[in-house]
Structures are given as structure tokens and as C-alpha cells.
Amino acid sequence: MHHPCSTSIGRTASACTSADMKLLSSQMVLRVVTHKQPSCEGFYDLVLGMRPNGKPLWRMRGGSRWIYMGTDGRWYVGGIMSRRRQFRCESGYMFHSAQGCSLPVFLQGPWSWGDSK
């Protein structure tokens, strides 16, 4: 069961360009701000060399949370269980209901807490 929450994920780097590689390099660090899932709040660094489900992966600084795209095409903030499954799952502490968005910073509207099912 999921519940909507006011959560935002934003980039901390300057404005991005149209080239995909430059865009991704401008997304090296993401910041999660949430009041419903405080354990997910913080800065997330891009994990180089890992692309679960063909998409970038970010890891929380000093924590065991990851921002990843699930097998259902939604973005999640997951924990150790998601990592153990090598992110081949649809679970996390939070998720966004939009599917197929290339990067989490482009998502609009609220994130939900709980799994997507």
C-alpha cells in the first residue's frame, strides 16, 4: 500500500545541457528532502559503472539507501533488500508513480511512501 508524501529530489549541480553524457554528469549528486521518510533524506552520489535495469544508480552518503529504477519503470528509494536483489525488484521506502522517466530529477508531482503495490 502506498501513501502520497511531499518529497522532492533535486540536482545540486548547475543547469544541464542537452547532451546525455553532460546531463548525467550534472546529476552526480542528488538531494532527497522528505518529512515522511527521514531515513531517506540526504545527499546521494552517482555510482559509476553500475546501471541496474539500464539506468543510473545513486547511493546515499554514509547510508544504505539507493535511488534506482525498478523493473516496472518507476524510480525508487530502496534499502538493503533492494540491493540484495541487485535492484531487480519493485520495492523501496519511497517511489514515484510515473513510469519511464529517464532521470528522477525530471519527475513532477509527489512521491509516495511504501511499495508500489
Side-chain angles (χ1 to χ4, degrees):
M1 185 160 162
H2 68 278
H3 306 278
C5 62
S6 64
T7 297
S8 64
I9 294 182
R11 57 184 169 258
T12 60
S14 59
C16 54
T17 68
S18 60
D20 287 344
M21 288 307 291
K22 288 184 181 180
L23 174 61
L24 187 55
S25 70
S26 75
Q27 309 305 310
M28 296 290 286
V29 178
L30 300 179
R31 182 178 179 205
V32 173
V33 178
T34 178
H35 301 291
K36 293 282 186 180
Q37 291 289 354
S39 67
C40 297
E41 193 166 85
F43 290 95
Y44 289 71
D45 296 306
L46 183 66
V47 178
L48 299 175
M50 285 190 71
R51 294 182 59 85
N53 303 312
K55 296 294 180 182
L57 174 72
W58 288 264
R59 183 176 184 179
M60 178 186 240
R61 289 182 186 170
S64 56
R65 301 282 184 271
W66 291 266
I67 299 172
Y68 75 98
M69 181 176 277
T71 54
D72 61 353
R74 292 183 174 104
W75 286 98
Y76 290 85
V77 177
I80 292 173
M81 292 306 295
S82 300
R83 174 74 174 125
R84 285 183 185 155
R85 295 177 182 157
Q86 299 179 349
F87 306 104
R88 287 185 224 136
C89 55
E90 302 167 8
S91 66
Y93 297 94
M94 302 183 327
F95 75 98
H96 198 283
S97 61
Q99 291 180 291
C101 186
S102 61
L103 292 171
V105 296
F106 295 136
L107 295 168
Q108 296 182 1
W111 284 62
S112 297
W113 52 281
D115 292 336
S116 63
K117 305 213 186 261

